[in-house]
Amino acid sequence: MEKFKDKYIEFSYLFTWFSMLWYRLTMRFSRKIGSSVKKFDSIEEIPKAFNFGKDYRSDMLFGSKSDHLTHPSKLQWNLDNEQEFGDCDDHAIYWCASLLKSSLAKKVWFAFYSMKEVDEQNVVLDRSAHAVCVFCGLDDELYWCDYRNPRKIEKIEDFMHQSAGERNKQAVAGCIWLVKGLKEDDTPEFGKITRIKR
């Protein structure tokens, strides 16, 4: 049964284009006019700005069931007004927007994956998902980041294994969306979708 669930999750990642449409819509309605993403002088300043994830806030609209993506301008407004920030996908998209706007990365991806927690008998105890930012730095090295300073990876698919490993879990499947750039109002422009298997 658990193997079937793994296969079903892997299969579902073929349809993340639907999530992309939903995220574009939710960003459109959460955009904060008059607020724009800050430019940073160094990568290390970015996680400091959102207090290393300590101001995490779950999605407010219908709870976690809505899984909407907040526009980076609204996230910046939250920071500027000392409000709770957002959930993991909000942190990830803020990373993407900040890196691009500050010209601190050569290439940026919005990334997410599913993982499972298993016991010593390989019985699945829990399933969950997480969103992160993956980028190619100015040094041509690959990194991933969520709430802390970026961690280096050898291959782009390593982001989900390293991230899941930090939570003592196993990655099941993942996906990356290229963020081609930012519009004038700091709206991220998504590009190619790449599905990642274990």
Side-chain angles (χ1 to χ4, degrees), residues 75-125:
L75 296 171
Q76 186 65 58
W77 186 91
N78 290 347
L79 292 178
D80 293 341
N81 291 275
E82 299 182 357
Q83 302 293 311
E84 289 182 320
F85 187 68
D87 64 1
C88 64
D89 48 25
D90 295 328
H91 283 79
I93 201 64
Y94 187 79
W95 265 111
C96 293
S98 298
L99 288 168
L100 288 171
K101 188 156 188 181
S102 305
S103 300
L104 292 172
K106 291 185 175 180
K107 210 167 189 179
V108 174
W109 296 268
F110 178 82
F112 51 97
Y113 70 97
S114 295
M115 57 186 150
K116 62 183 178 180
E117 180 182 0
V118 298
D119 63 14
E120 293 178 355
Q121 286 73 41
N122 212 33
V123 175
V124 176
L125 303 174

Side-chain angles (χ1 to χ4, degrees), residues 23-39 70-77 93-94 96-98 100-101 179 181-190:
Y23 278 176
R24 283 174 174 160
L25 182 66
T26 59
M27 281 198 295
R28 180 178 179 182
F29 285 105
S30 61
R31 184 169 63 94
K32 193 74 173 178
I33 296 173
S35 175
S36 58
V37 175
K38 178 182 175 182
K39 287 186 179 180
T70 306
H71 195 282
S73 64
K74 173 66 167 102
L75 296 171
Q76 186 65 58
W77 186 91
I93 201 64
Y94 187 79
C96 293
S98 298
L100 288 171
K101 188 156 188 181
V179 183
L182 300 176
K183 295 181 180 179
E184 289 184 4
D185 62 358
D186 290 337
T187 299
E189 294 186 278
F190 294 124

Side-chain angles (χ1 to χ4, degrees), residues 6 29 40 43 77-79 87 95 98 111 131 137 143 154 156-157 165 169 176-177 180:
D6 286 351
F29 285 105
F40 294 94
I43 288 174
W77 186 91
N78 290 347
L79 292 178
D87 64 1
W95 265 111
S98 298
Y143 299 86
E154 293 297 319
I156 203 160
E157 59 268 26
K169 297 184 179 184
I176 57 172
W177 300 346
K180 298 185 295 183

